[in-house]
Amino acid sequence: MSEISKEVFTVMKIKTFKYFFKESISNIIKNRVMSFASITTVAAALFVLGIFMLLVANVNKMVTSVEDKVEIKAFLNDDVTTLKQNEIESEIKKIPAVKSIVFESKEDALEKFKNQLGENKDLANGLDLKNPLPASFIIKVDKVENVADTSNKIAKMEGIYKVKDGRDILDKVIRVINFIKASSLALIVILGAVGIFLISNTIRLTVYARKKEIGIMKYIGATDWFIRWPFLFEGMFLGLFGAIISILLLKFGYSYVVKVVATDVVIFSLIPAEYIINTLAWQFSIVGIVIGGLGSLISLRRFLVL
């Protein structure tokens, strides 16, 4: 192909793209009511999905924080000798999952209990004469999944009368995360289907209105894809506009929530608002375009052979 032919071909491609773009925007404006409904539905679907994704991200952060604090506490019988204590410690260290082990004496346990009482620590003064708190080993494991197995092994050791761990709380948190993930998936499927349905109906109205024009274009030799592209662009634009609206709503709404939590809550912190722009923005843009494109293709199936 000569240089002139390449330039002509490039110019034709640019003009064709401009035609597709112009036609798609024109169709959106002509059917502004249905277009608005389609954009709003996509925005609502992605906004709800975004809320759930932010919930999951923040809960996952909390779980990671909780996992770091999960520990096993193995209480010793009062009659355990120093020699036996050292033997138990050696046995615990041999368990592959054990990351660290700290011995807490009866005196240390009582002092910690007093500190937990805070201003009311005087209530524990009588316990100094006969300390009822047992000595214990505080054990941390490499992975939270190994807590149960490690606890069971330690509980069977001679000289251990009780083992406590925080897996019950962690299990509840994980169940909440799984519920949030399942709910978000169900909602996005439902709202996504509604969005596809509305976009397909919006484009179907445009196709009906231009039925004769499409017939003439096919008669003079226009290919199905030349006819199809403006409608496909229209659907993708509707989906993209919906995605942009949802991203903006999430950005401003979540930024406010982060500010409130940072000011009034000191127990935990949320993931930064930049997460929406850095991660959700491009993901939602792709999802919006796909929903719009699917809606377009579904509506055109009756008029043009795919």
Side-chain angles (χ1 to χ4, degrees), residues 14-28:
I14 293 171
K15 285 185 176 180
T16 302
F17 181 81
K18 285 182 178 178
Y19 167 77
F20 293 156
F21 182 85
K22 184 179 176 183
E23 284 296 303
S24 60
I25 297 298
S26 175
N27 291 339
I28 290 172

Side-chain angles (χ1 to χ4, degrees), residues 13-294:
K13 283 181 71 175
I14 293 171
K15 285 185 176 180
T16 302
F17 181 81
K18 285 182 178 178
Y19 167 77
F20 293 156
F21 182 85
K22 184 179 176 183
E23 284 296 303
S24 60
I25 297 298
S26 175
N27 291 339
I28 290 172
I29 294 171
K30 284 178 185 176
N31 299 295
R32 59 179 68 89
V33 175
M34 284 295 290
S35 295
F36 178 76
S38 300
I39 291 170
T40 304
T41 303
V42 173
L46 293 177
F47 180 74
V48 172
L49 176 64
I51 290 174
F52 277 91
M53 287 180 73
L54 288 169
L55 273 172
V56 170
N58 279 295
V59 174
N60 277 334
K61 183 184 177 185
M62 289 171 62
V63 168
T64 302
S65 176
V66 171
E67 283 181 346
D68 292 337
K69 295 174 183 176
V70 170
E71 58 187 26
I72 300 167
K73 201 158 190 179
F75 298 98
L76 303 177
N77 292 324
D78 286 336
D79 59 354
V80 168
T81 62
T82 303
L83 180 62
K84 184 61 179 175
Q85 173 195 313
N86 292 334
E87 288 177 5
I88 294 171
E89 185 173 355
S90 297
E91 282 187 66
I92 293 173
K93 285 180 177 178
K94 289 177 184 176
I95 300 173
V98 171
K99 188 168 67 174
S100 67
I101 179 169
V102 177
F103 176 71
E104 184 178 84
S105 66
K106 291 169 68 70
E107 292 73 23
D108 291 338
L110 181 58
E111 193 60 33
K112 185 184 287 186
F113 178 63
K114 286 180 180 180
N115 292 334
Q116 288 172 346
L117 289 174
E119 294 178 358
N120 300 316
K121 64 180 179 180
D122 292 338
L123 296 173
N125 286 340
L127 299 176
D128 290 319
L129 299 174
K130 190 177 181 181
N131 187 350
L133 300 178
S136 62
F137 285 113
I138 300 170
I139 303 113
K140 287 195 174 184
V141 296
D142 55 355
K143 294 179 183 177
V144 72
E145 294 86 357
N146 295 326
V147 169
D149 183 57
T150 305
S151 293
N152 293 334
K153 287 178 180 177
I154 295 172
K156 294 174 183 176
M157 293 179 183
E158 188 182 349
I160 302 290
Y161 87 90
K162 187 178 180 183
V163 174
K164 285 179 66 177
D165 57 57
R167 56 181 153 159
D168 291 341
I169 297 171
L170 197 61
D171 287 343
K172 288 177 183 177
V173 173
I174 291 170
R175 281 198 292 270
V176 170
I177 292 176
N178 291 336
F179 173 76
I180 291 172
K181 287 179 178 178
S183 300
S184 62
L185 181 62
L187 278 171
I188 191 57
V189 168
I190 294 168
L191 292 173
V194 173
I196 291 172
F197 174 76
L198 280 173
I199 289 173
S200 65
N201 280 340
T202 302
I203 292 167
R204 191 175 287 121
L205 288 175
T206 306
V207 174
Y208 271 121
R210 298 179 60 191
K211 211 171 179 181
K212 288 184 179 179
E213 183 184 337
I214 290 171
I216 293 170
M217 289 174 72
K218 292 195 74 172
Y219 181 75
I220 61 175
T223 63
D224 282 351
W225 271 108
F226 184 85
I227 298 168
R228 189 180 290 124
W229 273 114
F231 299 111
L232 193 59
F233 270 45
E234 181 184 345
M236 290 191 291
F237 279 138
L238 291 173
L240 181 60
F241 293 155
I244 291 170
I245 291 171
S246 70
I247 291 163
L248 292 174
L249 289 173
L250 285 169
K251 177 70 170 67
F252 290 115
Y254 185 68
S255 296
Y256 175 75
V257 172
V258 170
K259 190 183 293 184
V260 169
V261 170
T263 305
D264 300 336
V265 182
V266 294
I267 300 173
F268 64 90
S269 61
L270 300 175
I271 58 173
E274 288 72 23
Y275 172 80
I276 294 172
I277 299 301
N278 297 338
T279 304
L280 297 187
W282 66 269
Q283 292 179 351
F284 279 21
S285 298
I286 292 172
V287 172
I289 290 170
V290 169
I291 289 174
L294 283 174

